[in-house]
Amino acid sequence: MLLVPRSVRGTFILILTALTMLTIIPAFFFVKEEQNRERDVAMKAMDNALRLQSAYMARWFELNIMEDIQAVAKLRSVRTMDLEGMAEDFRAMASDRTDLSKLFYFDRNGAPLVDIDNGIISEGTYNVSDRDYFQEAKKGLSTVTDVLDAKDEQSTQIIGFSVPVIREGIFDGVVFGSVHLSHLMDMIQRQSFGESGSFRLFNCDGSPLEGGSEYKPCFYPDHIKDENGLFFTETTENGKSYMTRVVPLAYGGLYIGGTLDLDEVKAGSDRIIRTSMTALTVAIATMLLFFILLSRRITKSINKVQGQLSSASEGEYAPTTLPRMELPLEMEQIWKSVEQLKGKVRSSIDAIRELGIRDSLTGLHNRRYFEDEIAKAAREDHDPVTALICDVNGLKLVNDALGHEWGDRLITKAASVLKAISEPGDIVARVGGDEFAVLLPNDSGNRDIETRLKEEMASINSGDDIPLQMAWGVANGRASIRSIEEIIKEADGRMYARKETQRDQARDAILTFFLRMISTREGRKVGYMERCRSIMSEFVSTLGEMDETFKDRMIRLAGIHDIGLVGVNPDILRKTDPLTDEEKKEVRSHPEIGYRIAIAAPTLSDLADAIMHHHQRWDGTGYPLRKSAVSGKGIPLESRIMTLVDSYEAMTHKEAIEEIGRCRGSQFDPEWADRFVAFLEKKGPGIL
């Protein structure tokens, strides 16, 4: 009996490791080494052949062509300027040579006098004095040109060979011979090396010169840094791959390249790869044999696990027991993991469902749940039904003054009151930002829900915490006679009617709490504002030109101008050490907080601008800071007077008179500073 590990993964790892060690890994390294060796051998052969061919081409330029042109320049007909003899000599040389395509004689001005085809040229139709080879000849130098376009109808590409004619030490003309580029290409392409090695000719931009066709550049000459040339590989349109090394020719501005077929280079390693693939095929067949033996054992267990997963994918998350049949170790672990996952999914679904119907702040049900319950109640018999609708008063004022954290405390207190008065079966929900609803099914009105609500609110407001002010409305009826929505609408209407009557009372209670908070945080401040109120009352009574409304507004402002301190961290207000920049910034925000409180409270809205600017200086350098700071008479008059009273209360009588006099025109309105100082001097230190 074949023994295999209990773990399927362990079995396959064992088999695959053995097969890999026996076939793939050794073959891979051997093939890699063989490919590198073959490549090195091919490269050396190609380099040697290219070096020899390049040297041969250089000798061909120098010995076969240039020496012949130089010999022409020494002919008697050339030295004696015998044009007819020169034409005869040129034709004789042309008849003996197949590689020389043209032969010219140009005078010292670059005009043609004799050519190989036309003999003596009576009148030149062109001039070569601007050509580089002519300029070099004037310096006494022989030159092999780069590829040129001949001055014929076909613009045949040629390579020129120029030799200067010097008579008695003076430049007197040029003998110029040319070779067709096609002749050079044929000579190169007839050469070969190895089984498939060949030579190619490239022009100055790296394009191959083959068959007269135009090709894209195979390389960039700038990339050739030294005599070793440049190596590259290329793939033709028919899928054949070649490796090529290119070196510059000594003459003509051309490049010669040696090319080898990569299939030839890789022939040996390809044979090894085929052998390795055969061995691998045998290994795979062996692996399949092991797999067949294992499959009978694991097929049933896989089907069991698949059934478990399928039921989970269809939303069935009930726990299932482990099958009695022995499962492979991995399958057993998968089964247990799936069961754990199903348990977590069940818990998550329950939690998500609960979150979807709960308000995260209060823990009460939300509006969605409440509306679903209304629809459900409409289909069932819960008559009679009582609806209680509640709304928290002053929530915006608290949020603006103290921040949403305090507003959340009010919401939480309201939720705790409604939880306290509810009973099992009641539906309590937060249906809006500051609105709550309670639905009491099967309630005949005997529970007296309003009395219980008042008692709970009185109890929760008995401490020093922020007072909870709520408006509510109650309605009772039979859903079988009129809809639950109509009962809720009736309760909602009563709530809004009560809210209108309680609006001022709720606002005053919250403002009183703000003042009490300031007193608790910094005991000096409430007494301080009362003293400011007393000073202001004395001062405005001397202002005969002001009406009683203005005077009353100033007295109210003095008693509440620093109410914005309620929104400042109490630890900062109690701090005796110097404040940090951030702490100063928070303290200086209290006029803006006071402004928001005054705007939210209609009875204080006429004081909002005065509260905002009561710490602004006459020169505009006070606070709050603005992009366009107010200054001078742009500051409300109430604020300018308030800052005088505010400063006086913080100092002794004598200090205040000196400070106000010193800062008139910078911190204080100079006109009202003078009037206030006059008032202080008249009243004396006993004003407080």
Side-chain angles (χ1 to χ4, degrees):
M1 179 179 179
L2 183 63
L3 297 177
V4 296
R6 185 184 176 198
S7 165
V8 176
R9 183 176 60 181
T11 302
F12 276 97
I13 289 176
L14 177 63
I15 297 170
L16 291 175
T17 300
L19 293 175
T20 301
M21 293 297 293
L22 292 172
T23 56
I24 298 177
I25 295 178
F28 172 79
F29 285 109
F30 183 76
V31 168
K32 199 70 177 175
E33 185 67 25
E34 184 65 15
Q35 286 179 336
N36 291 336
R37 188 192 66 79
E38 289 176 340
R39 186 185 182 92
D40 290 343
V41 170
M43 287 289 290
K44 288 179 181 178
M46 184 169 64
D47 288 346
N48 290 334
L50 188 59
R51 189 179 303 109
L52 292 173
Q53 184 65 24
S54 178
Y56 168 76
M57 293 303 301
R59 289 195 302 273
W60 183 83
F61 275 104
E62 295 169 356
L63 302 178
N64 198 44
I65 304 297
M66 181 57 80
E67 284 190 0
D68 288 350
I69 301 300
Q70 289 173 344
V72 171
K74 296 176 181 179
L75 291 174
R76 176 182 178 84
S77 59
V78 174
R79 286 189 289 106
T80 61
M81 283 294 292
D82 179 3
L83 298 183
E84 291 183 359
M86 195 183 304
E88 288 294 329
D89 289 340
F90 281 11
R91 281 193 290 270
M93 175 169 280
S95 64
D96 294 336
R97 300 292 297 266
T98 59
D99 52 358
L100 198 62
S101 62
K102 294 289 184 180
L103 194 59
F104 295 87
Y105 178 81
F106 300 101
D107 66 13
R108 66 168 62 91
N109 297 317
L113 299 181
V114 178
D115 73 12
I116 198 171
D117 295 324
N118 302 312
I120 299 173
I121 301 173
S122 59
E123 183 178 353
T125 58
Y126 57 90
N127 191 285
V128 297
S129 61
D130 60 337
R131 293 295 182 102
D132 290 342
Y133 63 81
F134 190 85
Q135 296 297 323
E136 292 296 313
K138 290 173 68 175
K139 299 175 185 178
L141 301 175
S142 297
T143 305
V144 179
T145 70
D146 290 346
V147 177
L148 301 176
D149 291 330
K151 294 182 178 294
D152 56 18
E153 294 180 358
Q154 294 79 23
S155 295
T156 307
Q157 290 187 314
I158 62 172
I159 296 176
F161 299 80
S162 66
V163 176
V165 177
I166 308 297
R167 293 187 180 89
E168 298 180 358
I170 299 174
F171 171 73
D172 197 46
V174 174
V175 175
F176 180 86
S178 66
V179 176
H180 283 157
L181 183 61
S182 59
H183 177 80
L184 186 62
M185 290 166 52
D186 292 341
M187 187 170 61
I188 291 282
Q189 291 171 356
R190 285 197 297 268
Q191 306 298 320
S192 64
F193 63 95
E195 293 184 10
S196 64
S198 61
F199 296 103
R200 304 170 69 188
L201 198 62
F202 299 86
N203 65 15
C204 59
D205 67 354
S207 300
L209 299 170
E210 296 172 356
S213 301
E214 294 186 1
Y215 293 87
K216 294 181 179 179
C218 296
F219 65 94
Y220 295 100
D222 291 344
H223 292 174
I224 298 179
K225 305 299 182 182
D226 52 34
E227 67 277 1
N228 292 326
L230 178 69
F231 175 81
F232 62 89
T233 60
E234 58 181 328
T235 302
T236 62
E237 294 181 356
N238 59 10
K240 296 282 287 184
S241 296
Y242 297 89
M243 65 179 188
T244 302
R245 183 180 295 280
V246 177
V247 297
L249 277 177
Y251 301 101
L254 300 173
Y255 298 86
I256 186 170
T259 299
L260 274 175
D261 187 343
L262 282 177
D263 290 340
E264 177 187 342
V265 175
K266 298 188 299 181
S269 58
D270 287 346
R271 286 193 296 271
I272 295 174
I273 291 175
R274 288 193 294 270
T275 302
S276 300
M277 290 300 297
T278 302
L280 182 60
T281 302
V282 173
I284 292 174
T286 304
M287 181 184 67
L288 290 175
L289 176 62
F290 277 97
F291 176 75
I292 293 171
L293 295 174
L294 287 170
S295 63
R296 292 184 179 181
R297 181 183 177 194
I298 65 175
T299 299
K300 290 184 179 180
S301 57
I302 289 176
N303 290 338
K304 288 288 184 181
V305 173
Q306 185 179 6
Q308 180 198 33
L309 292 171
S310 297
S311 63
S313 67
E314 294 172 359
E316 179 57 55
Y317 300 110
T320 53
T321 57
L322 191 68
R324 293 182 179 180
M325 61 174 289
E326 183 181 358
L327 295 178
L329 180 61
E330 285 80 1
M331 295 300 173
E332 185 176 329
Q333 291 174 344
I334 291 173
W335 185 281
K336 292 178 180 178
S337 297
V338 171
E339 287 302 310
Q340 292 175 358
L341 180 61
K342 287 165 63 177
K344 291 180 180 179
V345 171
R346 286 195 303 272
S347 300
S348 298
I349 290 174
D350 293 342
I352 291 171
R353 286 173 178 168
E354 187 65 18
L355 287 174
I357 60 174
R358 289 284 179 183
D359 174 57
S360 59
L361 176 63
T362 63
L364 298 178
H365 288 111
N366 58 20
R367 186 180 192 90
R368 174 184 173 184
Y369 177 85
F370 185 73
E371 291 176 347
D372 289 345
E373 289 299 310
I374 290 175
K376 187 186 298 183
R379 297 191 298 268
E380 300 173 358
D381 184 12
H382 294 289
D383 287 340
V385 176
T386 297
L388 169 64
I389 305 297
C390 302
D391 189 275
V392 178
N393 292 327
L395 182 62
K396 184 179 186 304
L397 181 59
V398 173
N399 283 335
D400 288 343
L402 302 179
H404 288 276
E405 181 181 351
W406 281 84
D408 290 346
R409 288 173 66 173
L410 271 182
I411 295 295
T412 304
K413 290 179 73 171
S416 65
V417 167
L418 297 178
K419 288 177 185 177
I421 67 172
S422 64
E423 295 180 358
D426 294 347
I427 302 169
V428 184
R430 182 186 178 191
V431 295
D434 56 1
E435 191 171 349
F436 296 84
V438 183
L439 200 64
L440 289 67
N442 303 313
D443 177 51
S444 59
N446 297 328
R447 289 171 58 178
D448 195 5
I449 196 70
E450 289 192 76
T451 300
R452 293 188 60 191
L453 180 60
K454 292 176 183 178
E455 291 173 351
E456 285 297 326
M457 286 185 61
S459 174
I460 204 168
N461 286 333
S462 60
D464 295 330
D465 197 9
I466 185 169
L468 173 64
Q469 304 290 320
M470 279 203 306
W472 66 83
V474 179
N476 180 271
R478 292 185 173 275
S480 58
I481 299 176
R482 56 174 181 158
S483 68
I484 295 179
E485 287 82 0
E486 290 179 355
I487 298 172
I488 293 173
K489 185 176 181 180
E490 180 183 344
D492 196 51
R494 291 177 180 175
M495 180 273 292
Y496 277 109
R498 186 187 296 268
K499 189 176 183 70
E500 287 300 318
T501 63
Q502 293 178 345
R503 191 180 301 276
D504 293 340
Q505 175 187 350
R507 187 182 304 114
D508 291 343
I510 292 173
L511 292 175
T512 301
F513 171 73
F514 289 168
L515 295 175
R516 188 166 69 247
M517 279 185 69
I518 297 173
S519 176
T520 302
R521 294 176 174 183
E522 188 181 359
R524 168 183 172 277
K525 281 297 178 185
V526 173
Y528 151 76
M529 284 192 285
E530 286 299 322
R531 290 191 294 275
C532 287
R533 181 186 181 93
S534 175
I535 297 169
M536 185 66 78
S537 178
E538 289 284 337
F539 178 59
V540 297
S541 67
T542 66
L543 307 178
E545 76 274 20
M546 300 297 182
D547 57 26
E548 293 303 317
T549 300
F550 178 82
K551 294 177 182 180
D552 177 67
R553 186 162 66 250
M554 292 304 302
I555 293 170
R556 288 191 296 118
L557 173 64
I560 203 170
H561 67 281
D562 267 339
I563 195 170
L565 289 172
V566 71
V568 177
N569 187 335
D571 294 334
I572 297 177
L573 297 178
R574 288 192 290 266
K575 189 174 180 180
T576 56
D577 297 330
L579 301 181
T580 65
D581 290 342
E582 285 299 318
E583 291 170 340
K584 289 178 182 177
K585 183 178 179 181
E586 183 169 350
V587 170
R588 289 177 179 177
S589 69
H590 81 269
E592 296 177 87
I593 298 173
Y595 172 84
R596 292 198 297 269
I597 294 173
I599 286 294
T603 57
L604 301 179
S605 60
D606 60 333
L607 304 178
D609 285 339
I611 292 173
M612 170 73 86
H613 296 97
H614 77 274
H615 278 292
Q616 187 55 271
R617 293 167 57 97
W618 177 257
D619 58 11
T621 60
Y623 59 89
L625 296 174
R626 290 290 186 270
K627 289 184 178 179
S628 300
V630 295
S631 62
K633 292 189 177 182
I635 303 170
L637 176 60
E638 294 91 334
S639 301
R640 286 179 269 152
I641 296 174
M642 187 65 243
T643 191
L644 289 164
V645 174
D646 198 17
S647 298
Y648 175 77
E649 196 283 334
M651 295 179 280
T652 65
H653 185 79
K654 181 179 179 181
E655 289 173 344
I657 291 176
E658 292 176 354
E659 180 72 9
I660 293 172
R662 184 175 63 83
C663 296
R664 66 183 299 278
S666 57
Q667 181 177 354
F668 306 110
D669 181 337
E671 176 186 350
W672 284 95
D674 293 342
R675 294 184 66 172
F676 190 64
V677 168
F679 162 74
L680 295 177
E681 290 175 341
K682 181 178 180 180
K683 284 292 185 178
I687 188 172
L688 292 177

